Amino acid sequence: MKIKRSLVYLCLAATLSPLSGAYANRFGSDSIELPDIGTVAGSTLTIDQELIYGDAYMRMLRNSRPIINDPVINEYIDALGYRLVANSDDVKTPFTFFMIRDRNINAFAFFGGYIALHSGLLLHAQSESELASVMAHEIAHVTQRHLARSMEEQARRSPATIAALAGSLLLAIAAPQAGIAAITATTAGSMQSQINYTRSNEKEADRFGIATLAKAGFDVHAMPRFFGRLADEYRYASTPPPMLLTHPLPEDRITDSRSRAQQFPSVSVAPSLNYHLTRSRVVARYAGINSEAALDWFKRNQRKADPGMAAAFDYGKALVYLDTKQYDEAESRLKKLLQSHPDNNFYLDAMSDLLVDTERATEAQSMLAQALQRKPNNPVLVINYANALIKDEKFSEAIRILQRYTHERPNDVNGWHLLAEANSRSGNSAEDLAARAEIFALGANWNKAIQFYTQASQLAPLGSLQQARYDARLDQLMVQRERFLALR
């Protein structure tokens, strides 16, 4: 958490002075287009360097924050995020979207195209377009390279200052408290220009974000509506949500976003079932409330929701019943939902969990195998299918599937956890250790990862291909550890 705050402070608070340069009209008489300064910013921090910093920070985040590794939620926010990225300008990096279990309303972006959403944001957003508006805003922070541009602006004014700021960034990765102190000392001399630059970045992210929303077919008015409601609700709060601290909302910014949204034609956006299903899943499993409170939330909100979204609330109730082992109540609801939407991954995932929990893993495999014929290699279905195979003690088949899965999705900890379990239960200690080593590496615990691969190598037959594979991975991890430590 502390490391996150350090980098968010850098990336989103934008504690640097305003940009100068010529502007050109783009969307209307009051719209502006910043000059292309990507090359200038690149002279301070290359795209490759951004990717290295982003990867390092993401590894530390996995080890320090409650990231929601839920395959169904991940699939939804990935689909939504990639739809927005496909309609964004100046995309120079890959993007990774993920959710953190945190009831505070917030979202943030950092180097390498990483976009984090707090679960509390999903509960506060009232439509998919509102959620998309926040994501589009964060995507714009990345595509416009606000941190790199901030560092370049400091370099224009004082090369010594940019060196100090770069050092503070590296220090923030290794020691958050010291990093914040160094950043504060570095920038203390120009507070007013820092405030102006923060507002400039936020307005620019709004401008590009609204354009992205329009291209992607969302309601562009969702952005000023969401931010306006947020500002109204917390205007006099003694402790505003983190989003208002990292994303200041002065009245002129909200007015500007409303004015800009009016330049685009109004579109009618149908309610998104998957958005409401994701919201229900967060309430049922990640909102930190008990089952009675969750059921009450579903009942209250269903009464005032679009009738076409009733299935999402029934799904939420089914999850609560499933998690409290009221299997008959859960199954009756899930069967009805699957009858109307047999290919919906939210329903298939929940029904698979229910069948496995009630000792019907073979039935789960049959259901998922049929679904995989219609949607081959779908990650939600594959991970559920592998889990059902493990529960049915079909370890060899599960291992075969998971080896391919982890090869294609090496950053998905779910795959590594299941692969470790399958190998452990089948008595393959070396492969169990190797899978667990990958989990440690994803969390920047390099020493543990190296230790586990060393043990795996010692268990493998001497001179075997298996041992050679472990030793080669050991060499890679040692290089990664040195590169990671060099960031400090």
Side-chain angles (χ1 to χ4, degrees), residues 171 244 448 454:
L171 187 58
L244 293 186
K448 274 288 187 182
T454 300

Side-chain angles (χ1 to χ4, degrees), residues 69-87:
N69 293 307
D70 186 309
V72 188
I73 290 178
N74 289 345
E75 183 176 56
Y76 171 72
I77 61 174
D78 279 350
L80 180 57
Y82 295 149
R83 176 179 168 185
L84 293 166
V85 170
N87 288 280

Side-chain angles (χ1 to χ4, degrees), residues 10-11 14-23 32-47 50 89-90 92 111 139-157 162 165 196-205 207-208:
L10 278 166
C11 295
T15 56
L16 300 166
S17 62
L19 291 167
S20 60
Y23 297 96
I32 57 175
E33 181 174 4
L34 288 173
D36 181 9
I37 64 169
T39 303
V40 178
S43 66
T44 298
L45 193 69
T46 67
I47 293 293
E50 289 191 34
D89 296 327
D90 303 321
K92 302 178 182 71
F111 282 139
I139 289 168
H141 275 306
V142 175
T143 61
Q144 300 312 301
R145 303 186 70 197
H146 281 154
L147 179 55
R149 285 166 49 183
S150 301
M151 296 172 72
E152 173 63 20
E153 177 62 19
Q154 283 285 48
R156 287 195 187 100
R157 294 191 290 111
I162 188 58
L165 185 60
N196 292 340
Y197 194 83
T198 298
R199 292 176 178 174
S200 173
N201 277 354
E202 290 303 303
K203 286 185 178 181
E204 184 182 23
R207 177 163 61 85
F208 278 93

Side-chain angles (χ1 to χ4, degrees), residues 444-458:
N445 194 336
W446 305 108
N447 291 338
K448 274 288 187 182
I450 290 169
Q451 175 190 336
F452 274 41
Y453 259 116
T454 300
Q455 293 174 359
S457 178
Q458 292 169 349

Side-chain angles (χ1 to χ4, degrees), residues 431-480:
E431 286 290 278
D432 173 28
L433 287 166
R436 295 184 190 280
E438 295 296 341
I439 297 170
F440 283 122
L442 285 173
N445 194 336
W446 305 108
N447 291 338
K448 274 288 187 182
I450 290 169
Q451 175 190 336
F452 274 41
Y453 259 116
T454 300
Q455 293 174 359
S457 178
Q458 292 169 349
L459 290 174
L462 186 64
S464 65
L465 184 61
Q466 182 184 28
Q467 187 180 57
R469 177 165 58 86
Y470 294 156
D471 290 344
R473 183 61 177 137
L474 264 172
D475 291 340
Q476 290 178 338
L477 288 171
M478 289 177 182
V479 171
Q480 285 182 281

